[in-house]
Structures are given as structure tokens and as C-alpha cells.
């Protein structure tokens, strides 16, 4: 097994490149915000969902806002891991809850970048791993990775859980999936990936020859350093699968108990935000409505092209034979993002954790000469930084 220092050295180019891209994005945001007499730090830590998270950290659950149209926005819609960490950091340091959220996000984004590198490096090699991290960093909505939102924390937990699955560390994978399930509703994607990989592994074990199964047991790693007992790998795999759904299921059931509406109580909370799953019907109507006039028709066409590109990338992932857990994870994230009836402007942000979709592009980019790939990524990084600054000073994420 590679020692930690070697793993850090191997990931260093990806992490340094990621930090540089994020620094560029923050610089662009600071300059743009200053020109408009706005606080870049407030945009990152005290607006939109970031404000809801800090309220949970400070006041706990139970806060809600009733809108004039009758909708009820309850903070029960926000999963607890990020506010728990904000409260912990605020208790251990002089930081405010907002400051703690920014620090957690900064650390989580680096952990996410490292996890993405680890997965891509394991599947396609180091060069593709570096490219995957940089592509994730330069996404048009990449500035969200620096906001006190839960996307970076969730992506970190998801990426490392998937890496643990790919390397046969089932208990670690299940524990990280549990934590991902306490971070965002899309934690179901991580649970699905762990379960799909676990079931496929059990099926392979049953169909393998007895001699092969014995050999697998003999070569399985043992925490104590000696030979594992018979069936130990299967036991760890089952334990990881049992742990994986506990986070999401536990919070959803708690919300149902807290609201007195039973196991489906969380769906009522989401309905108050006009969030739901309709198979993409509302999103399709939203896109179709764009074609009622010429200027908005261009936006509708751009949306169709964007959705088509994302779906095409997933098809390429399948054709390239990505490992099953990556395909399941990315597929569930994609389905939940595109088929939900939530605020449509948030869909690019909801796709941010779907990093396996970037692996085909990373693989293609890794085959270019270093100078050419560096030029391409640098140009995209500048465009992403400018767009992120413009976006947060305008409509911004919901």
C-alpha cells in the first residue's frame, strides 16, 4: 500500500492547480464585487442557502418562513452535516458560524479535489487525474466550490466513498456514504453506488470457482496484519452496505417524526419549497416556454444543448466502460438534477457533484501535449472566473 506522503506527492500537481484556479476565481469575484460596492465575502458566506445553513448551526431546526403565496420554507429541508461542522468549528475557534462555513468549504473543496484525483488516477492514470480535477475546478459554476454551501463537502465524501469502493475498502465506503447521506438529499446516489457495487461483487463471488474464492480470501487485507477469518471480505462488504443508507434514512425519518407526518414528512417539507420529482416534466415545460419569443428562444436552445451535452457525456462514460459504481453514482445524480421540479436556475449547481461525467473529457485532454492542455485549461479558467464573478453579483445561485 502506498504511504501517505507518496499519495500527497502524487496528487500535488492536481491540488496546486486546483488551488490556483480557485484563487483566480476569488480574485475575480473580489474585483468585480468591489466595482459594484458589494462584499465578495458576504456573497460567499451570507446569502441564499449559506444563510440557511448558518441559521441551522446557530438556532437549530424549527425556523421557517411563510411566503405571501402560502409556500412554507422550512430549514428542515437542509441536511445537518454542514451546520454541525459549522457549529463545531465555531465552538472550537473564535470564528463566527459564517466564517466556520467558509473554512469548512475551503477544506472540503481541497478534499473533494483530492478525491476526484484519486478516482480518476485509479481508473485512467495520474495525468487524467490531474485533468479531471482541473476540469472540475473550471466549471462555469465552479465558484460554488468556494461558497458556504454543501456541494464541496458532499463531493468530497462521495468521491472518497467511490474510491473506497473501487479499492475494496467497504466499511470506509459505507461510512463515507452514511456521512454523504447526512449532507444532501442526493446522498442517495452514493448509497446506490455502494449497493450496486456490493451486489455485483456478491454475484461475482457466487459465480466464481471455489478455488478462486479461496484465493480471494487468502489475499484479502487484514487489519491485524494476519490472515483474515473465512468470509471476512464478504462480512466487511455487507457491513459497508448496511452502513451506507443510515445517514439519509436517519435524517428523513427524524424529520418525519419531528413534523408528525411520518416517513414521508420530508417530502412535505420539500413541497413547501416547490421541490419534487416529476420525471423532468416541469423542466421540459420551462424549456419549452423559452421558445415563446425570440430573445428567450436563444436561452431555450442553450438549455437543450447543455442537457444534450451532459447526457452525451454519460453515454460516453458507459461506452468507455467506467466502473459500475461511477456509472450508478453519476446516473442517479444526473436523474435527480434533471428530473426534479426544483428551481431551474439551480440545476447546473446540482450537477456539480457529478464529476465522473468529466472523466471522458479528462482522458481526451490528458492525451494532448502538456503545453496545449495547459493553454486550454487556462483560457477556460479565466472565463470561469469572470462568469462566476458576474453570476454571484447578479442572480446567483438560489
Amino acid at each position: 500500500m502506498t504511504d501517505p506522503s507518496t499519495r500527497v506527492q502524487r496528487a500535488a500537481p492536481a491540488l496546486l492547480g486546483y488551488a490556483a484556479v480557485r484563487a483566480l476565481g476569488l480574485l475575480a469575484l473580489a474585483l468585480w464585487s468591489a466595482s459594484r460596492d458589494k462584499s465578495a465575502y458576504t456573497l460567499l458566506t451570507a446569502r441564499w442557502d449559506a444563510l440557511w445553513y448558518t441559521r441551522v448551526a446557530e438556532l437549530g431546526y424549527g425556523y421557517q418562513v411563510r411566503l405571501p403565496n402560502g409556500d412554507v420554507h422550512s430549514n428542515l429541508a437542509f441536511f445537518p452535516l454542514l451546520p454541525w461542522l459549522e457549529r463545531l468549528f465555531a465552538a472550537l475557534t473564535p470564528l463566527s458560524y459564517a466564517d466556520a462555513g467558509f473554512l469548512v468549504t475551503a477544506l472540503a473543496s481541497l478534499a473533494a479535489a483530492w478525491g476526484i484525483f484519486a478516482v480518476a488516477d485509479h481508473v485512467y492514470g495520474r495525468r487524467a487525474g490531474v485533468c479531471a480535477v482541473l476540469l472540475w475546478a473550471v466549471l462555469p459554476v465552479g465558484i460554488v466550490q468556494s461558497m458556504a454551501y454543501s456541494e464541496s463537502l458532499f463531493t468530497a465524501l462521495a468521491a472518497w466513498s467511490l474510491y473506497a469502493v473501487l479499492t475494496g475498502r467497504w466499511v470506509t465506503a459505507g461510512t463515507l456514504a452514511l456521512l454523504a447521506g447526512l449532507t444532501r438529499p442526493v446522498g442517495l446516489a452514493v448509497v446506490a453506488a455502494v449497493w450496486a457495487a456490493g451486489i455485483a461483487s456478491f454475484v461475482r463471488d457466487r459465480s466464481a470457482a471455489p478455488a478462486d474464492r479461496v484465493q480471494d480470501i487468502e489475499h484479502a487485507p487484514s487489519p491485524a496484519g494476519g490472515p483474515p477469518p473465512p468470509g471476512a471480505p464478504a462480512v466487511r462488504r455487507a457491513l459497508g452496505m448496511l452502513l451506507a443508507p443510515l445517514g439519509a434514512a436517519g435524517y428523513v425519518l427524524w424529520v418525519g417524526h419531528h413534523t408528525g407526518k411520518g416517513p414521508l414528512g420530508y417530502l412535505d417539507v420539500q413541497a413547501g419549497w416547490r421541490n419534487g420529482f416529476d420525471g423532468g416534466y416541469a423542466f421540459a415545460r420551462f424549456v419549452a416556454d423559452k421558445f415563446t419569443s425570440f430573445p428567450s428562444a436563444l436561452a431555450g436552445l442553450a438549455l437543450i444543448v447543455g442537457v444534450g451535452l451532459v447526457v452525451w457525456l454519460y453515454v460516453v462514460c458507459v461506452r468507455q466502460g467506467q466502473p459500475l459504481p461511477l456509472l450508478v453514482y453519476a446516473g442517479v445524480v444526473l436523474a435527480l438534477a434533471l428530473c426534479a421540479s426544483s428551481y431551474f436556475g439551480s440545476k447546473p449547481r446540482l450537477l456539480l457533484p457529478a464529476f465522473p461525467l468529466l472523466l471522458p473529457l479528462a482522458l481526451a485532454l490528458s492525451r494532448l501535449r502538456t503545453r496545449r492542455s495547459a493553454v486550454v485549461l487556462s483560457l477556460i479558467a479565466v472565463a470561469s472566473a469572470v462568469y462566476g464573478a458576474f453570476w454571484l453579483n447578479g442572480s446567483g445561485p438560489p
Side-chain angles (χ1 to χ4, degrees):
M1 181 180 296
T2 309
D3 64 89
S5 61
T6 302
R7 290 199 294 268
V8 171
Q9 292 175 4
R10 187 171 180 84
L15 298 180
L16 291 174
Y18 177 79
V21 172
R22 290 273 47 83
L24 177 64
L26 292 175
L27 176 61
L29 176 64
L31 294 175
W32 195 298
S33 301
S35 69
R36 297 172 61 87
D37 294 324
K38 291 185 178 181
S39 168
Y41 191 69
T42 298
L43 293 174
L44 294 170
T45 62
R47 291 194 68 186
W48 305 294
D49 288 6
L51 193 57
W52 283 91
Y53 281 118
T54 56
R55 283 173 177 161
V56 173
E58 182 178 5
L59 304 174
Y61 285 106
Y63 177 84
Q64 64 182 31
V65 175
R66 186 175 295 275
L67 304 183
N69 66 355
D71 290 346
V72 177
H73 287 185
S74 168
N75 65 0
L76 289 168
F78 296 89
F79 277 50
L81 186 58
L82 177 58
W84 283 350
L85 293 175
E86 289 177 343
R87 182 179 296 178
L88 176 64
F89 275 58
L92 297 178
T93 68
L95 298 175
S96 67
Y97 293 111
D99 296 337
F102 184 72
L103 178 59
V104 170
T105 297
L107 296 175
S109 65
L110 286 172
W114 195 356
I116 292 170
F117 170 81
V119 170
D121 180 28
H122 180 80
V123 178
Y124 293 122
R126 185 186 190 191
R127 189 176 175 87
V130 173
C131 291
V133 170
L134 295 179
L135 284 171
W136 190 67
V138 302
L139 288 173
V141 294
I143 189 65
V144 174
Q145 298 163 15
S146 297
M147 298 180 67
Y149 272 40
S150 60
E151 274 78 6
S152 290
L153 178 60
F154 174 79
T155 305
L157 294 168
W160 284 109
S161 179
L162 291 171
Y163 178 74
V165 169
L166 294 175
T167 54
R169 297 172 173 87
W170 292 98
V171 175
T172 299
T175 302
L176 293 172
L178 183 157
L179 294 174
L182 287 170
T183 307
R184 295 185 62 80
V186 75
L188 294 174
V190 190
V191 176
V194 173
W195 271 73
I199 292 172
S201 184
F202 277 120
V203 170
R204 285 195 302 269
D205 283 354
R206 288 181 62 87
S207 61
D212 292 337
R213 292 200 298 269
V214 171
Q215 187 177 15
D216 289 341
I217 293 174
E218 290 175 349
H219 289 84
S222 173
V235 170
R236 289 195 290 269
R237 189 185 312 145
L239 179 57
M241 293 174 67
L242 290 174
L243 287 171
L246 295 184
Y251 181 68
V252 168
L253 292 175
W254 178 83
V255 170
H257 175 75
H258 183 77
T259 59
K261 297 183 177 180
L264 300 181
Y266 183 76
L267 297 181
D268 290 337
V269 171
Q270 286 287 2
W273 288 80
R274 294 184 179 262
N275 291 334
F277 189 87
D278 62 1
Y281 175 73
F283 184 44
R285 288 190 57 185
F286 172 77
V287 174
D289 289 342
K290 293 293 183 181
F291 290 92
T292 56
S293 63
F294 173 71
S296 64
L298 296 177
L301 182 61
L303 286 171
I304 292 175
V305 172
V307 171
L309 175 61
V310 170
V311 173
W312 174 76
L313 283 174
Y314 185 74
V315 172
V316 174
C317 291
V318 175
R319 289 179 174 175
Q320 290 183 345
Q322 277 190 17
L324 178 64
L326 300 187
L327 293 176
V328 172
Y329 168 76
V332 175
V333 173
L334 184 60
L336 291 176
L338 296 183
C339 297
S341 59
S342 57
Y343 177 70
F344 304 113
S346 66
K347 291 194 179 294
R349 175 172 66 86
L350 297 179
L351 287 169
L352 196 60
F355 68 88
L357 297 178
L358 299 173
L359 296 187
L361 298 177
L363 186 59
L365 197 59
S366 69
R367 291 168 177 168
L368 298 178
R369 292 183 178 180
T370 301
R371 179 176 297 181
R372 182 172 298 179
S373 60
V375 170
V376 171
L377 287 169
S378 297
L379 292 175
I380 300 176
V382 172
S384 174
V386 172
Y387 176 77
F390 165 77
W391 187 45
L392 286 199
N393 278 277
S395 59

